[in-house]
Amino acid sequence: MNEEELVQRAAEERAAIVAKYKHGRKPGAQINPWEDPSLQIYHILDRYGFIHDPNNKHFSDEKIAESAGPGEVKVEMERVKKWVKMLRQWDTMVGTEKLRRRVFKGIPNSLRGQAWSRMLNLSNIREQQQGKYQEMRELAWKWSPDIRQIDLDVNRTYRDHIMFRERYNLKQQELFNVLGAYSMYNLEIGYCQGMSQIAALLLMYLDEEDAFWALSELVSDKKYNMHGFFIPGFPKLLRYQEHHDKIMQKFLPKLKKHLDKNGVDTGIYTLKWFFQCFLDRIPFKLTLRVWDVYLLLGERILTAMAYNLLKLHRRKLISLGMDDILQFLQVHLEKKFEVDDDVAMENLARCLEELKKSKLDYAGPPPPHELPSRAFGMFKEPTFEQKVGRRSMEFSSAEKAARESVVLRRETAAAAAMVESPTQELAQPNGHVSRHSHDESALPGTSTRVVETKIRIVYWVKSYENVNNSFS
């Protein structure tokens, strides 16, 4: 095919995808059976809209305990009264200790959308940007080079949630539109796969246009500065991981040493913590409360919650080996956090103060290369490579430097952990303990540990490359 034919084919494919979302679930919709999972009568729907199958072998009572008992209902109803009054007087509440205290205690779910909208100042933004969202959405339908990837990701985002369960339903249409519009609004980022769940979370509580402007605020407002997480090279992610290591070294040195010895890299377990503010890494009910304070206080919550989570579970983590550590952090905690939500949030507030006293609550202002360098909402016709969906096979200089930095940092940490533990106790068949140096000939297990460490480094770099592949 020549260039003209390739561009035409890409345009036709984009138009076909857009047409399916515009048509929705009206009669005649083309939906494959595998795209539209059925909802059986025995499924359980929790109060947040997630669907659970108690017959599933991975079913977790803790995960669906997103229902409110009588005592909790009473407390929430009292909070609703206070929040209704507070929302009416929002301008006088902004910046007060009372607002901070009540947000940490939890925003009533029925008022969460209104509270998030106030925190993000969405009504003023919509007034100032009248018509801009609709313009970006129209441009995305015609030009966005990310439409194919967005379509794929919409089809696998929160499919266990009632709002996004049915293919091409209203919320899937809104999610597709928000992500497509933003890919044209912020041309430096376009679309990154980590954005789909963030946008879906916002759509659970906000309407379509509000969710778009909320995403825009999270990316560009100085309180959150998520722009640096999503641009090529992921400079903010690397900077936050380095800052996390400093916090670990100061406050949890034994745990850090244990993680380093087992090859559990910061880059493996903090990806979703920082990229998506703990989505899919802790129970959804607790995630919402973390997002409440994140929207109120900003990016400091990311580092504080990361410290809080590890501090709460440090004894358990120190007792685990490499694979079990990752299973615990990436899978187990989302199903069973082991700590009451109120306790976790109270401890988060204490962790924030603890870090503040040590001047470690803030990773510092973003350097210029993390900030947007192009004006938002200014249309620029995609390049030929973007039109046909052809991705660069070469890493940029920033991405190469980032990869080298990751590998070097991880190898240094692993080597330091080995040096700090020059001997290891080994149990003998007679029950006695003998001591051997970490020489491979004296300790057969050492070579395995080194290999495992290198495997973890490679795993993180591959994870990094996978995220990078979401960029055009």
Side-chain angles (χ1 to χ4, degrees):
M1 283 189 175
N2 58 36
E3 289 191 0
E4 185 177 341
E5 289 171 332
L6 287 171
V7 169
Q8 180 62 28
R9 186 179 69 174
E12 290 173 356
E13 181 184 32
R14 179 171 55 250
I17 292 172
V18 170
K20 288 182 179 180
Y21 282 93
K22 286 185 175 180
H23 187 85
R25 295 184 66 83
K26 298 174 188 174
Q30 298 178 0
I31 303 172
N32 295 316
W34 60 268
E35 289 186 293
D36 213 5
S38 60
L39 177 62
Q40 302 295 335
I41 194 167
Y42 53 78
H43 282 162
I44 298 172
L45 189 68
D46 69 30
R47 69 180 298 212
Y48 299 105
F50 285 94
I51 302 161
H52 308 277
D53 181 359
N55 294 323
N56 190 313
K57 64 180 181 180
H58 300 299
F59 175 74
S60 167
D61 288 333
E62 177 93 4
K63 187 170 181 179
I64 72 149
E66 313 290 17
S67 57
E72 189 177 348
V73 169
K74 184 178 179 180
V75 170
E76 179 141 347
M77 291 308 297
E78 288 299 318
R79 286 181 180 163
V80 165
K81 295 176 184 177
K82 294 177 181 178
W83 272 91
V84 167
K85 182 178 179 181
M86 197 158 57
L87 288 168
R88 290 173 180 161
Q89 304 170 343
W90 186 259
D91 290 342
T92 63
M93 297 301 301
V94 173
T96 64
E97 179 59 28
K98 179 185 283 189
L99 176 61
R100 185 181 188 277
R101 187 171 62 252
R102 287 185 177 172
V103 171
F104 267 92
K105 286 183 178 180
I107 300 173
N109 199 52
S110 59
L111 298 174
R112 184 164 269 121
Q114 293 183 50
W116 286 9
S117 179
R118 299 286 206 289
M119 291 178 190
L120 293 165
N121 196 29
L122 298 182
S123 60
N124 287 340
I125 294 171
R126 284 186 67 156
E127 187 176 342
Q128 295 166 8
Q129 299 282 355
Q130 285 186 27
K132 177 58 71 173
Y133 171 65
Q134 290 73 19
E135 177 191 346
M136 294 296 107
R137 186 176 60 186
E138 293 286 339
L139 285 171
W141 289 342
K142 183 177 180 181
W143 292 105
S144 176
D146 298 304
I147 286 295
R148 184 194 303 171
Q149 187 61 55
I150 290 171
D151 174 48
L152 291 172
D153 289 345
V154 167
N155 196 28
R156 56 194 177 203
T157 298
Y158 287 131
R159 294 307 299 275
D160 58 343
H161 193 281
I162 195 67
M163 287 185 179
F164 301 97
R165 182 88 171 170
E166 295 181 326
R167 191 67 171 116
Y168 303 119
N169 71 356
L170 179 61
K171 281 299 178 181
Q172 280 207 2
Q173 290 173 322
E174 291 180 357
L175 180 59
F176 177 79
N177 289 338
V178 167
L179 296 173
Y182 196 77
S183 74
M184 300 306 294
Y185 183 72
N186 186 342
L187 294 175
E188 280 186 85
I189 292 177
Y191 170 68
C192 178
Q193 286 175 300
M195 298 165 71
S196 61
Q197 282 185 297
I198 294 174
L201 174 68
L202 296 170
L203 283 167
M204 292 178 194
Y205 293 94
L206 303 170
D207 67 30
E208 182 179 325
E209 185 172 352
D210 274 356
F212 172 83
W213 291 117
L215 179 62
S216 174
E217 282 296 282
L218 290 173
V219 173
S220 61
D221 189 86
K222 63 181 181 180
K223 184 188 287 188
Y224 315 104
N225 279 321
M226 294 188 90
H227 187 87
F229 283 138
F230 296 119
I231 56 176
F234 314 107
K236 184 171 182 177
L237 176 63
L238 299 179
R239 184 165 62 88
Y240 265 58
Q241 288 170 346
E242 290 175 359
H243 186 72
H244 176 71
D245 281 341
K246 291 179 185 177
I247 292 171
M248 290 281 287
Q249 188 63 53
K250 181 172 179 62
F251 294 104
L252 299 170
K254 290 183 180 178
L255 177 57
K256 185 180 187 305
K257 181 179 175 182
H258 179 71
L259 296 180
D260 288 342
K261 279 180 66 176
N262 282 278
V264 179
D265 174 48
T266 301
I268 299 174
Y269 66 85
T270 62
L271 262 175
K272 281 212 165 191
W273 291 7
F274 295 150
F275 250 74
Q276 298 178 314
C277 191
F278 298 89
L279 288 173
D280 289 345
R281 287 296 179 261
I282 56 178
F284 189 73
K285 183 179 177 183
L286 179 57
T287 302
L288 289 174
R289 293 185 62 176
V290 173
W291 269 80
D292 291 343
V293 294
Y294 175 58
L295 294 181
L296 179 70
L297 300 179
E299 58 189 346
R300 284 174 169 81
I301 292 300
L302 298 177
T303 50
M305 185 59 191
Y307 170 45
N308 180 35
L309 189 153
L310 294 175
K311 185 178 181 181
L312 287 170
H313 299 287
R314 63 190 183 281
R315 292 185 178 87
K316 177 68 175 179
L317 288 166
I318 285 177
S319 72
L320 300 175
M322 175 170 51
D323 291 329
D324 289 335
I325 291 171
L326 292 175
Q327 173 74 12
F328 184 80
L329 290 174
Q330 296 182 323
V331 179
H332 178 84
L333 286 181
E334 193 232 344
K335 295 179 179 178
K336 193 174 181 67
F337 195 70
E338 311 282 358
V339 177
D340 178 77
D341 290 358
D342 288 334
V343 173
M345 294 305 295
E346 289 166 6
N347 207 63
L348 172 58
R350 287 194 291 270
C351 286
L352 195 58
E353 289 303 311
E354 190 176 356
L355 293 176
K356 189 175 182 180
K357 288 179 182 178
S358 298
K359 297 183 179 179
L360 286 172
D361 60 315
Y362 185 39
H369 66 274
E370 286 186 17
L371 299 173
S373 60
R374 298 182 187 175
F376 295 128
M378 304 298 291
F379 175 67
K380 180 181 179 183
E381 186 172 331
T383 64
F384 166 73
E385 287 75 15
Q386 290 173 327
K387 287 178 181 177
V388 300
R390 184 177 295 166
R391 303 184 189 282
S392 172
M393 299 304 291
E394 297 291 332
F395 282 116
S396 69
S397 58
E399 291 161 347
K400 287 179 181 178
R403 292 178 70 217
E404 291 169 1
S405 172
V406 168
V407 174
L408 178 62
R409 195 179 73 211
R410 300 285 54 84
E411 288 180 340
T412 301
M418 295 298 183
V419 170
E420 290 173 9
S421 301
T423 59
Q424 178 166 333
E425 296 182 346
L426 296 176
Q428 299 300 307
N430 60 9
H432 295 296
V433 172
S434 65
R435 300 181 70 82
H436 295 271
S437 71
H438 277 296
D439 179 75
E440 287 189 20
S441 61
L443 182 57
T446 301
S447 59
T448 303
R449 184 182 293 107
V450 172
V451 170
E452 289 174 336
T453 298
K454 290 182 177 179
I455 288 173
R456 291 301 171 194
I457 293 169
V458 171
Y459 176 85
W460 193 91
V461 172
K462 288 295 182 185
S463 299
Y464 169 89
E465 291 175 358
N466 288 338
V467 177
N468 179 79
N469 285 338
S470 65
F471 292 104
S472 296

